[in-house]
Amino acid sequence: MHNPLIAKLEHGVDLTDADRGLLNDLIRQTRTVGARQAIIHEGERPDFVYLVLDGFACRYKTLVGGARQNMAYLVPGDFCDLHVAILGAMDHTIATLSPCTIVDIPRHAILDLTDQHPRIARALWWCTLVDEGTLREWLLNIGQREAAQRLAHLFCELLVRLQAVGLADANSYALPITQEELGDTLGVTSVHVNRTIQALRDDGFITLRSKRLTIPDVARLYAYCEFNPNYLHLTKRENGTVNGHRL
Amino acid sequence: MHNPLIAKLEHGVDLTDADRGLLNDLIRQTRTVGARQAIIHEGERPDFVYLVLDGFACRYKTLVGGARQNMAYLVPGDFCDLHVAILGAMDHTIATLSPCTIVDIPRHAILDLTDQHPRIARALWWCTLVDEGTLREWLLNIGQREAAQRLAHLFCELLVRLQAVGLADANSYALPITQEELGDTLGVTSVHVNRTIQALRDDGFITLRSKRLTIPDVARLYAYCEFNPNYLHLTKRENGTVNGHRL
DNA sequence: CGCGAACTTGATATTTGTCAACTAAGGTGG
DNA sequence: CCACCTTAGTTGACAAATATCAAGTTCGCG
């Protein structure tokens, strides 16, 4: 079976065949979850670490008025919560966006693995640091860009992240997310997302049909929204270029 | 000398006297930095971990048009970058806001400490997880609240964080930050910050004079902006109340 | 084929930004 | 200790971005 976790980690650290074997052992028992199902609720203290193997999930919080903010997208290869062992309780909820395949990894399995295999420990730490860098970039995105660039930036990020796990080709990928959810991610309403997508289409930046996003000119979209993937720390990429596109 | 790092860590983990001694050894050599000086630049790979002992610093990124987003405030007791050992290069800049006292800790000193003292390792990991939780809360703040609540929420957070290191009393603290910088933190202009502060003043939520913020009715401000400090994971606080204020 | 969810559109309201001027405050040198 | 000078804070008028509400329309699926 394809292991997106390995595909992702190889971008951050060098793994041995033995490491790969151990990581493959982790994903023997999978389960599927329908769209919009909670995986971990705020306040819980789960005994498992959840790994997404297929589909899109997200972290989110809501305000009492019902406003919702998605704070991360979890795509195949992403862990839901490596660190929950340390903190007392989840300070946010994790839920699927599309139907997902996930793995429940007992906490002790992660702890054993990291205790005995420093390369893997380092790789997992690298994951949490990339997550943090992504969070900072999202803050910049929402705080300082306007809606069109915000959306464009998210589309660029997903292109790179999905390519890293073999789920995007050179300029397109499946995007199983509604406009409402994009709005909750970018801090705008779904109506405004709709209009913004149309503007990006009109300008030839993207096509988006039946949940597939295509970016005709990747370098042009990168330039438009000032996308620089350095915050994803995919270190094995050639310096100064991204997917062959010079910055 | 007062060690805000210890004060902060005691909220997350139990420390022994020996631990405290080791942490005090870290801060023997301090240096002062003027306001608005960079500590680490984006792209650098510093050999030190920087710890703030006095003053306010921040993480930020800028866009080419000059727009700036502050992505974290670093107050006394906060580390600038525990994790830089793992990632290749800084993906953002860290600079002082007010004049600061900081400590340069060689990377190996941190690594030695965490290798040999699991309680301290756990405490430092707790720090990075709190930072991440704070980042998520800021994303919610900027994405879903409007300016007045955004500002109020930041003021509440700083009250709790500064209390945790003994730098705020029950309802007030020194806030050495300009309205421009508040704007760059909250994703609004300084003009709008100004008007929003006046609105909060008019409604009796705050007084802010000569860089000192006072919150006459803390519980009322908490309620106004839906502030819940659980994301700061100050676990030793009584459940369900914050500084004696029932949520 | 029908039904519910997602998407689209228009009109209008609200929030926030921009620009430009002015006032107040703090710090420094004489 | 004062005068000045820079920076921070304040105000007003207006423009732009985004939200809200309400009504379609299209799409995907059973």
Side-chain angles (χ1 to χ4, degrees), chain A residues 20-41:
Chain A
R20 279 185 276 268
L22 291 163
L23 292 170
N24 272 324
D25 289 341
L26 285 181
I27 65 163
R28 299 219 178 286
Q29 275 231 313
T30 69
R31 81 186 149 100
T32 60
V33 183
R36 286 150 221 242
Q37 303 297 310
I39 297 175
I40 320 178
H41 285 96

Side-chain angles (χ1 to χ4, degrees), chain A residues 42 61 63-64 67-69 71 83 86-87 89 91-92 125 129 136-137 143-145 226 230 233, chain B residues 42 61 63-64 67-69 71 83 86 89 91-92 125 129 136-137 143-145 187 226 230 233:
Chain A
E42 180 169 353
K61 285 191 182 188
L63 299 181
V64 296
R68 165 171 164 163
Q69 180 65 44
M71 298 166 307
H83 39 48
I86 299 264
L87 294 180
D91 58 19
H92 61 278
W125 202 10
L129 298 177
R136 281 191 294 264
E137 191 67 27
Q144 300 301 329
R145 283 189 260 254
E226 295 183 37
N230 65 344
H233 294 281
Chain B
E42 180 170 354
K61 285 191 183 190
L63 299 180
V64 297
R68 166 171 164 165
Q69 180 65 44
M71 298 167 308
H83 39 49
I86 299 263
D91 58 19
H92 61 277
W125 203 10
L129 298 176
R136 282 191 294 265
E137 191 68 27
Q144 301 300 329
R145 283 189 261 253
E226 295 183 37
N230 65 343
H233 294 280

Side-chain angles (χ1 to χ4, degrees), chain A residues 31-39 56-57 95-102:
Chain A
R31 81 186 149 100
T32 60
V33 183
R36 286 150 221 242
Q37 303 297 310
I39 297 175
F56 276 46
T96 58
L97 292 169
S98 69
C100 285
T101 304
I102 66 176

